[in-house]
Amino acid sequence: RDDRGIVTRVIGTLTDITTQKDAELRIQASESRLHGVVQSAMDAIITIDEAQHIVLFNNAAERIFGHQASVMVGQSLDRLLPERFRVSHRAHVEKFGATGITRRTMGSETVQLVGLRSSGEEFPIDASISQVDVGGNRFYTVILRDITERKRAEAEIARSHRELRELSRAANEALEE
């Protein structure tokens, strides 16, 4: 063996280690940016595993549901749903997982989604769901918005329209007399 062969191998090994460290730093930076985006989002972002246990619960989810992420991670998603919806919701998530579709809106015009705050208060939500397979493990992420204020405003508008129709009808009847 000559010294040059050993030196070449050492330099090659150091280059490999440096390249690996650079890649690890880029991954850490990317993860850090993603974490910042998720935590600053105005909508709740919740990720669950195949067993429907929470693995990610962002700041907006804490605010909307009234639970701390440190308490919710590892818990069943059921804690965030009124009891009467838990079985059907679980089945819907499993069915979505089997479809192979990567994302879709949840609920419909006729089906209103409802969340459950830590206080026990139910509230209306809009939500979309996505799924991803990571190393043979499936994860589901829901992005949801508390639409309580929007529903109140819609109800107020509907009430105002009813009152206007009643006033109009009464005015027409008075004119006819």
Side-chain angles (χ1 to χ4, degrees), residues 30-108:
S30 178
E31 288 174 349
S32 199
R33 283 190 304 273
L34 178 60
H35 178 76
V37 168
V38 167
Q39 291 305 330
S40 67
M42 298 295 289
D43 292 335
I45 301 175
I46 302 167
T47 298
I48 59 171
D49 60 18
E50 286 182 274
Q52 298 192 25
H53 289 106
I54 297 168
V55 297
L56 183 142
F57 198 78
N58 77 340
N59 292 338
E62 288 183 332
R63 181 178 38 77
I64 290 169
F65 287 96
H67 294 286
Q68 293 297 308
S70 59
V71 172
M72 292 309 295
V73 170
Q75 296 295 312
S76 172
L77 182 64
D78 289 348
R79 288 191 59 185
L80 304 176
L81 303 169
E83 191 169 340
R84 67 186 180 281
F85 298 125
R86 291 175 182 170
V87 171
S88 63
H89 184 270
R90 181 169 287 278
H92 284 299
V93 171
E94 289 170 1
K95 183 178 177 183
F96 172 68
T99 65
I101 298 170
T102 57
R103 65 184 180 272
R104 72 172 177 85
T105 301
M106 297 172 66
S108 68

Side-chain angles (χ1 to χ4, degrees), residues 6 23 27 121:
I6 292 173
I27 290 170
E121 173 194 1

Side-chain angles (χ1 to χ4, degrees), residues 79-152:
R79 288 191 59 185
L80 304 176
L81 303 169
E83 191 169 340
R84 67 186 180 281
F85 298 125
R86 291 175 182 170
V87 171
S88 63
H89 184 270
R90 181 169 287 278
H92 284 299
V93 171
E94 289 170 1
K95 183 178 177 183
F96 172 68
T99 65
I101 298 170
T102 57
R103 65 184 180 272
R104 72 172 177 85
T105 301
M106 297 172 66
S108 68
E109 292 288 322
T110 58
V111 176
Q112 175 60 62
L113 300 175
V114 179
L116 182 66
R117 298 190 206 283
S118 62
S119 65
E121 173 194 1
E122 294 184 12
F123 64 101
I125 61 175
D126 274 346
S128 62
I129 187 171
S130 65
Q131 63 176 310
V132 64
D133 187 78
V134 179
N137 296 307
R138 183 159 303 174
F139 295 93
Y140 303 93
T141 297
V142 65
I143 299 176
L144 66 87
R145 179 173 294 156
D146 177 350
I147 58 169
T148 302
E149 292 305 315
R150 185 178 88 196
K151 289 294 186 180
R152 273 192 202 125

